[in-house]
Amino acid sequence: MSKVCQITGKRAMTGNNVSHSKRRTKRKFNVNLFSKKFYWVEQDTWIRLKLSASGLRLINKIGLDAALKQAAKKGHLTQL
């Protein structure tokens, strides 16, 4: 699976390394991803999600069920 958050849809960005002499080379800014297991009360099952730090904060704020519904509506959730 690629480096994409299943809740927020965040993915790696590209940019430049800039040296002291201002020479630029391409680089990649990866997402701060975690693989976490959650107990989904509504479905009475455990699920494993690959999510970013902001996705984890979103789950803590609005709850797992609401975050999953929001991600499915936006098309970020690939499978469950």
Side-chain angles (χ1 to χ4, degrees), residues 2-5 8-14 29-31 33 76:
S2 61
K3 296 180 181 179
V4 178
C5 176
T8 60
K10 288 188 175 189
R11 56 183 63 232
M13 294 174 56
T14 58
F29 294 95
N30 287 321
V31 184
L33 285 182
H76 301 308

Side-chain angles (χ1 to χ4, degrees), residues 17-25:
N17 273 332
V18 182
S19 69
H20 185 66
S21 64
K22 306 294 189 282
R23 190 174 177 94
R24 286 162 170 80
T25 56

Side-chain angles (χ1 to χ4, degrees), residues 19-80:
S19 69
H20 185 66
S21 64
K22 306 294 189 282
R23 190 174 177 94
R24 286 162 170 80
T25 56
K26 282 295 188 184
R27 65 161 291 183
K28 192 179 267 195
F29 294 95
N30 287 321
V31 184
N32 189 12
L33 285 182
F34 303 98
S35 180
K36 299 285 280 186
K37 249 171 99 171
F38 292 97
Y39 183 70
W40 195 5
V41 178
E42 286 77 8
Q43 298 289 327
D44 192 38
T45 186
W46 287 90
I47 59 170
R48 186 179 300 271
L49 292 175
K50 199 173 196 182
L51 55 124
S52 62
S54 62
L56 186 60
R57 291 181 68 223
L58 184 70
I59 288 174
N60 286 336
K61 185 176 180 179
I62 67 173
L64 180 63
D65 194 47
L68 289 173
K69 286 180 184 175
Q70 186 179 30
K73 188 171 77 173
K74 289 185 178 180
H76 301 308
L77 204 58
T78 55
Q79 63 180 358
L80 268 184

